[in-house]
Amino acid sequence: MKLTANSFSIPPYLALNAGCKFRSQVLVRSLSGGDPEALASESYRVDGLPSVGERSRVRYLKDVENGQLSHEVGGKKRREDVLEKLEVLWDDGYGTQSSKDFSKLAKDIMKPDGGPPRWFCPIPCGIPLKDSPVLLYLPGLDGLGLGLILHEKALGKVFEVRSLHIPVQDRTPLEDLVQFVEETVRLEHASSPEKPIYLIGDSFGGCLALAVAARNPTIDLVIILVNPATSFEKSQLPTLLFLLEALPDVLYGALNLIFSSAIRGLGDILPKDALMWRLKLLQSAAAYANSHLQVITAEVLVLASYKDKLLPSKDEALRLARSLKNCEICFLNGNKHRPLLESGDNLLTIIKGASKYRRTSYHDSVKDYVPPSMSEYRRESDGHWLYHLATSPVMLSTLEDGKIVTGLAGIPSDGPVLFVSNHMLFGLDLFILFLQFLKEKRITLRGLGHPENLKADHQSVIPDISIILRVFGMLPVTAINLFKLFSSKSYVLLYPGGAREALHRKGEVHKLFWPEEQEFVRMAAKFGATIIPFGSVGEDDVSEMIMDYNDMMEIPALNNSLQEFNKKAVRLRQGKEGEVGNQQLHLPLVMPKVPGRFYYLFGKPIKTKGLEVLNDKEISQALYLQIKCEVEKNIAYLMKKREEDPYRGFMKRVAFQAKTRTPYDQVPTFEP
């Protein structure tokens, strides 16, 4: 099969990178409609593509040579060097590119090339994980397709990324653009019907994504809207369009200065006629998307800037959450309309933290988990340096022979491993554990937490803490999740005392509130997991409780609000007797103290493999009580030994660190 094509030059950035995964055939389709074609097995070179007015085609491109596109077609060729998994603290490249790189590339790509709208795979994306889903990026009004430049390397590890490029001089109408994206979505779905297809709609691209979703309710789509322009009529843009139509061309530059904060440099990319066309296109796209919200069944995540200067994005996000069937919101700090070009928010981190990353028809919190990257680790470690300095954690572990040593040398190298401990107030100890295990052992602790910490709040808004907890491995505490984690040989963190222990009352510091009967021993034994009981102390060194649950219940207004909240909250262990069933959620009022120090002691590993636990309830109950007793012994040991720590006091540690430049987690302590 031969192609006739008009010649046009293509900037190297717009070519698909050689690391993109290939289907068994090259797919060809037309903006004007018609069925997709599959080219016959044949290698050839194409110098250009037809203009939009003729037949434009999208191909899976194999290579770039001298700015021209080289294609290999046919056969069942696929890459064999795809990644099977990502290692802990993998390099996601976040921060290696910036908005300056965007501006530099934009100058080249904005030049007219005579070509139609087309897909390209950014070269930094590289080779994705095996069975990664496709991600299609739909740009804002500029149409360049460079909006993911800060995120390309990270996204390229877990997605097959393709970005839509709409040339500056292109005048493709809305219907054809929607059809263009829609045909690609349908082709991908036909090729891999078991996988979701991701559409990231940035501003105008958000309207385009919603339009495609409305027309394809049976295809599994995950829509991520970034300050979607569905609020066009409520913004400054209609006024801008009116003025563009009314004023002569010579005043375009002045108008650009007046609206500089609103149009965000679009005047530097788009000439007057192009900007007018795009604004009219946006107006139509917003109207279409808004009129079809009720039929959209796709999974939607809205990323909205709190103080977007171009669009009322915060209010629009709340409106979309009310209007769409399956929509959640993540609010972003700042006033930027294009937050993806700012260095504050890693898009992949948000996708992971919102539990939106999946490779099949449903999200599996174990199989679909992407471990923390180095940039995510550094952001949390550096961003909370004062907290880590204040608590200066001491980690002790126990070797097989019972010897206690400083550090985590006693932690087994192979999973599955179950860590069982007491809960500090508010779970103050969690992130210290997560980060220390990542740093010293390159291990991700998969914490099992209360579902309330991991769900969206009022009007489906996902809180920041939920995103951070999920990124660092936490998932809801359920029997099936524990089963999955053991099956994958994970390192699991469990607090049997749950919310009752984490939200304890006055005088209950370091006290255990565990169920009478074991809940995890037999499951651990089924998989031959190693159980490590450990104790943690120190909350009494950094805080003092002023008002607990009992105090709050004596205040009528707080009493009523707490009862209402707990009626709606997820309740665990309902029907259990005693304190373990009294897990009333609340926020105790505490006062910070001059910081002391946190201490952790990981006890001697208990191997369950070969133990007669599964079929003998008495043995399993005895082992459960032994584990509880070991945790209490570890707590008692730490409370006694910390009195011998010459650097327990905050000021002494600060003075020592200033003199020796010792990291906060390596300040000396007592001899074990």
Side-chain angles (χ1 to χ4, degrees):
M1 179 177 179
K2 295 183 179 180
L3 293 177
T4 59
N6 295 335
S7 178
F8 65 93
S9 62
I10 297 180
Y13 194 87
L14 290 188
L16 283 172
N17 83 63
C20 280
K21 180 180 172 183
F22 309 112
R23 308 298 185 191
S24 59
Q25 294 178 314
V26 171
L27 303 176
V28 180
R29 60 190 178 80
S30 169
L31 274 177
S32 59
D35 295 331
E37 303 168 355
L39 298 185
S41 178
E42 176 185 6
S43 293
Y44 62 100
R45 185 184 305 280
V46 179
D47 291 329
L49 298 177
S51 64
V52 175
E54 303 171 24
R55 297 177 63 194
S56 73
R57 303 176 185 274
V58 172
R59 300 177 179 83
Y60 295 92
L61 311 177
K62 187 186 178 218
D63 202 357
V64 182
E65 294 179 3
N66 299 323
Q68 309 232 335
L69 306 184
S70 175
H71 310 247
E72 182 168 310
V73 191
K76 293 188 177 180
K77 188 167 183 174
R78 60 176 294 180
R79 297 191 67 94
E80 298 298 332
D81 55 350
V82 294
L83 297 171
E84 293 290 336
K85 67 175 183 177
L86 289 173
E87 299 297 328
V88 174
L89 301 186
W90 55 283
D91 178 15
D92 64 3
Y94 189 69
T96 58
Q97 301 217 77
S98 69
S99 56
K100 292 183 179 179
D101 297 294
F102 170 87
S103 300
K104 187 183 300 182
L105 284 168
K107 290 179 181 179
D108 291 330
I109 296 177
M110 63 185 279
K111 297 174 183 177
D113 58 28
R118 54 198 179 272
W119 299 106
F120 69 94
C121 181
I123 292 172
C125 287
I127 303 171
L129 288 172
K130 183 179 180 181
D131 297 324
S132 292
V134 167
L135 183 152
L136 304 176
Y137 173 69
L138 309 178
L141 281 178
D142 61 49
L144 299 178
L146 301 178
L148 296 181
I149 192 167
L150 274 68
H151 313 269
E152 290 165 350
K153 187 172 181 179
L155 293 173
K157 291 293 186 183
V158 295
F159 291 106
E160 293 182 41
V161 179
R162 296 181 198 126
S163 296
L164 177 62
H165 174 67
I166 307 173
V168 170
Q169 299 300 332
D170 181 74
R171 296 296 182 267
T172 302
L174 177 64
E175 182 179 354
D176 287 356
L177 277 177
V178 171
Q179 185 178 349
F180 181 76
V181 178
E182 181 179 53
E183 287 180 0
T184 303
V185 166
R186 290 179 178 178
L187 289 171
E188 291 295 341
H189 177 66
S191 175
S192 301
E194 75 286 354
K195 292 183 184 180
I197 298 170
Y198 285 73
L199 297 179
I200 296 186
D202 197 343
S203 190
F204 162 69
C207 300
L208 203 57
L210 291 172
V212 172
R215 290 159 59 110
N216 296 274
T218 61
I219 294 181
D220 185 8
L221 298 174
V222 180
I223 310 294
I224 299 174
L225 306 175
V226 185
N227 288 335
T230 45
S231 60
F232 175 87
E233 296 295 340
K234 302 174 185 177
S235 71
Q236 305 174 56
L237 295 179
T239 303
L240 174 61
L241 179 57
F242 171 78
L243 292 175
L244 285 171
E245 293 176 324
L247 295 178
D249 293 350
V250 294
L251 296 179
Y252 180 56
L255 190 64
N256 184 31
L257 291 175
I258 295 172
F259 281 88
S260 60
S261 65
I263 62 177
R264 290 299 196 193
L266 282 174
D268 297 330
I269 297 173
L270 302 175
K272 178 184 174 183
D273 61 329
L275 181 55
M276 287 176 60
W277 172 263
R278 296 285 171 88
L279 287 172
K280 291 177 181 178
L281 200 66
L282 172 55
Q283 190 173 34
S284 299
Y288 183 90
N290 284 320
S291 64
H292 290 79
L293 294 179
Q294 70 278 4
V295 300
I296 295 175
T297 59
E299 188 176 356
V300 179
L301 173 64
V302 183
L303 309 185
S305 298
Y306 264 116
K307 297 179 181 179
D308 185 347
K309 290 184 177 179
L310 178 62
L311 301 170
S313 294
K314 179 182 178 182
D315 293 339
E316 183 65 5
L318 295 171
R319 184 186 75 89
L320 290 173
R322 294 190 297 267
S323 303
L324 294 167
K325 294 182 175 66
N326 185 11
C327 180
E328 292 182 323
I329 305 168
C330 177
F331 285 122
L332 307 176
N333 293 322
N335 56 11
K336 306 296 185 182
H337 177 62
R338 296 189 294 181
L340 296 184
L341 291 177
E342 303 300 321
S343 59
D345 297 291
N346 187 330
L347 180 56
L348 181 58
T349 299
I350 295 173
I351 293 173
K352 294 192 303 177
S355 296
K356 297 300 180 186
Y357 182 73
R358 54 187 173 91
R359 286 175 279 188
T360 58
S361 58
Y362 69 96
H363 173 76
D364 188 309
S365 54
V366 176
K367 292 182 179 179
D368 291 325
Y369 180 67
V370 178
S373 67
M374 180 58 77
S375 77
E376 289 168 337
Y377 166 81
R378 285 174 177 162
R379 176 170 179 172
E380 290 308 312
S381 179
D382 297 345
H384 299 90
W385 66 270
L386 184 58
Y387 176 65
H388 297 299
L389 176 66
T391 57
S392 191
V394 173
M395 299 277 176
L396 306 171
S397 60
T398 308
L399 304 179
E400 292 282 350
D401 61 4
K403 182 181 179 181
I404 298 176
V405 295
T406 302
L408 301 177
I411 305 302
S413 300
D414 299 312
V417 177
L418 176 63
F419 297 90
V420 186
S421 181
N422 61 303
H423 225 331
M424 282 196 194
L425 185 67
F426 299 133
L428 290 171
D429 51 327
L430 276 176
F431 274 103
I432 290 175
L433 286 171
F434 290 157
L435 296 177
Q436 195 65 26
F437 268 76
L438 286 170
K439 178 181 179 181
E440 187 173 339
K441 300 291 289 185
R442 289 297 195 272
I443 288 173
T444 302
L445 283 182
R446 301 303 310 272
L448 290 168
H450 198 288
E452 285 292 331
N453 291 328
L454 301 170
K455 76 173 188 177
D457 59 11
H458 183 59
Q459 292 187 320
S460 299
V461 178
I462 305 172
D464 291 343
I465 186 62
S466 173
I467 290 177
I468 297 171
L469 288 172
R470 288 185 185 275
V471 166
F472 283 89
M474 184 168 284
L475 61 168
V477 56
T478 64
I480 187 63
N481 280 340
L482 186 59
F483 182 92
K484 289 180 179 179
L485 290 171
F486 283 151
S487 299
S488 62
K489 300 185 183 300
S490 299
Y491 288 72
V492 186
L493 177 61
L494 178 67
Y495 294 99
R500 178 61 183 87
E501 206 167 273
L503 302 174
H504 52 249
R505 299 5 171 196
K506 294 176 181 176
E508 296 177 349
V509 177
H510 305 141
K511 184 178 180 181
L512 301 188
F513 291 92
W514 289 20
E516 292 296 325
E517 297 180 356
Q518 62 88 16
E519 297 179 326
F520 57 85
V521 171
R522 299 178 73 185
M523 179 84 77
K526 178 179 177 64
F527 291 91
T530 299
I531 299 176
I532 298 183
F534 75 96
S536 56
V537 304
E539 70 167 81
D540 56 335
D541 263 6
V542 300
S543 65
E544 181 178 353
M545 189 174 296
I546 304 301
M547 181 181 293
D548 64 7
Y549 177 76
N550 296 331
D551 297 326
M552 293 178 181
M553 293 302 288
E554 294 179 0
I555 303 174
L558 287 177
N559 185 313
N560 294 334
S561 61
L562 282 175
Q563 289 193 51
E564 284 297 317
F565 175 78
N566 279 284
K567 284 179 182 178
K568 300 175 182 178
V570 177
R571 298 295 301 273
L572 301 178
R573 292 168 171 161
Q574 291 193 58
K576 292 282 186 179
E577 296 182 358
E579 288 297 324
V580 75
N582 184 27
Q583 298 196 3
Q584 302 298 317
L585 302 182
H586 65 290
L587 289 176
L589 179 61
V590 298
M591 178 181 292
K593 295 167 62 175
V594 176
R597 201 170 189 183
F598 281 2
Y599 301 85
Y600 302 81
L601 172 58
F602 296 89
K604 183 177 179 180
I606 300 173
K607 297 181 179 180
T608 63
K609 191 173 183 179
L611 294 180
E612 296 295 328
V613 173
L614 289 177
N615 300 319
D616 194 318
K617 290 185 178 180
E618 290 186 2
I619 294 179
S620 65
Q621 185 66 18
L623 181 57
Y624 175 71
L625 294 177
Q626 177 190 344
I627 294 167
K628 182 179 179 182
C629 182
E630 289 296 322
V631 172
E632 291 174 328
K633 286 182 179 178
N634 291 337
I635 293 172
Y637 174 90
L638 292 173
M639 292 182 69
K640 179 181 178 181
K641 294 291 290 183
R642 71 178 177 178
E643 300 295 335
E644 304 173 12
D645 185 357
Y647 297 103
R648 179 180 174 185
F650 175 69
M651 296 308 297
K652 289 185 177 181
R653 291 199 307 275
V654 170
F656 178 84
Q657 288 180 280
K659 181 180 179 180
T660 63
R661 299 185 180 276
T662 303
Y664 64 81
D665 59 339
Q666 295 179 25
V667 175
T669 185
F670 56 79
E671 286 294 325

